[in-house]
Amino acid sequence: MLTVDFTRFPLAAGDRVLDLGCGAGRHAFECYRRGAQVVALDQNGEEIREVAKWFAAMKEAGEAPAGATATAMEGDALNLPFPDASFDVVIISEVMEHIPDDKGVLAEMVRVLKPGGRIAITVPRYGPEKVCWTLSDAYHEVEGGHIRIYKADELLGRIREAGLKPYGTHHAHALHSPYWWLKCAFGVDNDKALPVRAYHKLLVWDIMKKPLATRVAEQLLNPVVGKSFVAYATKPHLPKAEA
């Protein structure tokens, strides 16, 4: 289940991509399939080991084209172990709401991104996220949990302050908002509640089968209750004299 829309965020074979805070690796895997040279980085060593196993399995199965590479590594988003201008593309999905120094993370992403490069940032959308916070303290008051809710203008302002130029936004995963509202209402750790179990089955069916009816429904509902807000931006080229 991808949050970044690669029709709006073009990726060329051979692009060097950093998936920052990659988690289970969903965007890193898609970039690898598209022929990129991918670095998936996360501070969670257990998840990184799983991502590395999946990269190896994909290579063995021939899922990635010739020339594509994939590396999984542990690292700190506030102190990236890469030289300046190392990447053509940076993706950070559902991460910044966890990090106190979000401006510092943006600065590091801009540092390692090449001039003319592209960044995709996704965060929980303000409205659906606010409902979750209202229904349940346990949803966000946990170690490593969400510490802020971004309004769209606020996130775009931070992106501009970091020296990036936003060029597009959209919302995603409208069908997932009701699921999290149910989880918060019945208890975030209570997976046995009938409404939660029933809706989870619906989501699994939707992800596996991709029926037209739910695809259309989600597209119609995304502007209203999309769970995620997605922003795309570029890093401007330096003026010739400065370069």
Side-chain angles (χ1 to χ4, degrees):
M1 183 187 72
L2 299 175
T3 308
V4 172
D5 181 353
F6 287 93
T7 65
R8 310 184 197 211
F9 189 66
L11 190 69
D15 275 352
R16 186 162 168 78
V17 178
L18 173 62
D19 185 1
L20 181 56
C22 65
R26 58 201 172 105
H27 289 106
F29 300 148
E30 181 64 20
C31 293
Y32 189 31
R33 290 187 187 99
R34 290 171 178 261
Q37 298 175 10
V38 183
V39 176
L41 183 144
D42 201 285
Q43 67 177 1
N44 187 319
E46 184 176 342
E47 286 197 307
I48 282 298
R49 286 187 287 274
E50 284 299 311
V51 170
K53 289 178 184 177
W54 278 106
F55 278 150
M58 291 172 67
K59 182 178 181 179
E60 181 71 20
E63 290 188 35
T69 62
T71 302
M73 60 185 295
E74 289 185 58
D76 181 358
L78 289 165
N79 186 23
L80 295 174
F82 310 112
D84 296 355
S86 298
F87 294 94
D88 302 289
V89 173
V90 176
I91 297 171
I92 184 166
S93 182
E94 311 299 303
V95 173
M96 287 180 56
E97 68 275 9
H98 296 271
I99 301 177
D101 186 8
D102 58 345
K103 291 184 179 181
V105 172
L106 273 167
E108 272 294 86
M109 290 192 292
V110 172
R111 180 184 68 78
V112 301
L113 185 66
K114 296 177 182 179
R118 304 173 304 286
I119 280 184
I121 299 173
T122 90
V123 297
R125 184 185 187 175
Y126 183 85
E129 183 77 348
K130 189 69 173 178
V131 173
C132 290
W133 282 46
T134 300
L135 289 172
S136 172
D137 290 337
Y139 171 78
H140 63 98
E141 290 183 357
V142 295
E143 184 177 355
H146 299 182
I147 62 171
R148 71 174 66 82
I149 309 176
Y150 288 101
K151 292 184 177 179
D153 288 346
E154 178 188 5
L155 180 60
L156 292 172
R158 275 172 166 62
I159 290 171
R160 292 187 181 97
E161 288 172 7
L164 298 168
K165 184 178 180 180
Y167 70 84
T169 65
H170 64 89
H171 301 98
H173 309 318
L175 295 182
H176 288 251
S177 290
Y179 173 72
W180 283 102
W181 297 339
L182 288 170
K183 288 272 289 181
C184 290
F186 287 92
V188 290
D189 296 321
N190 180 11
D191 294 325
K192 296 182 179 179
L194 180 58
V196 174
R197 287 191 289 116
Y199 202 97
H200 183 263
K201 287 183 179 179
L202 170 66
L203 291 179
V204 171
W205 173 75
D206 173 57
I207 292 170
M208 298 302 294
K209 301 296 185 181
K210 298 181 174 62
L212 178 61
T214 55
R215 296 299 91 203
V216 171
E218 186 155 79
Q219 287 178 6
L220 293 173
L221 291 170
N222 274 338
V224 183
V225 292
K227 184 73 170 65
S228 295
F229 174 71
V230 188
Y232 305 108
T234 58
K235 180 177 178 178
H237 287 278
L238 292 173
K240 289 185 179 180
E242 188 176 347

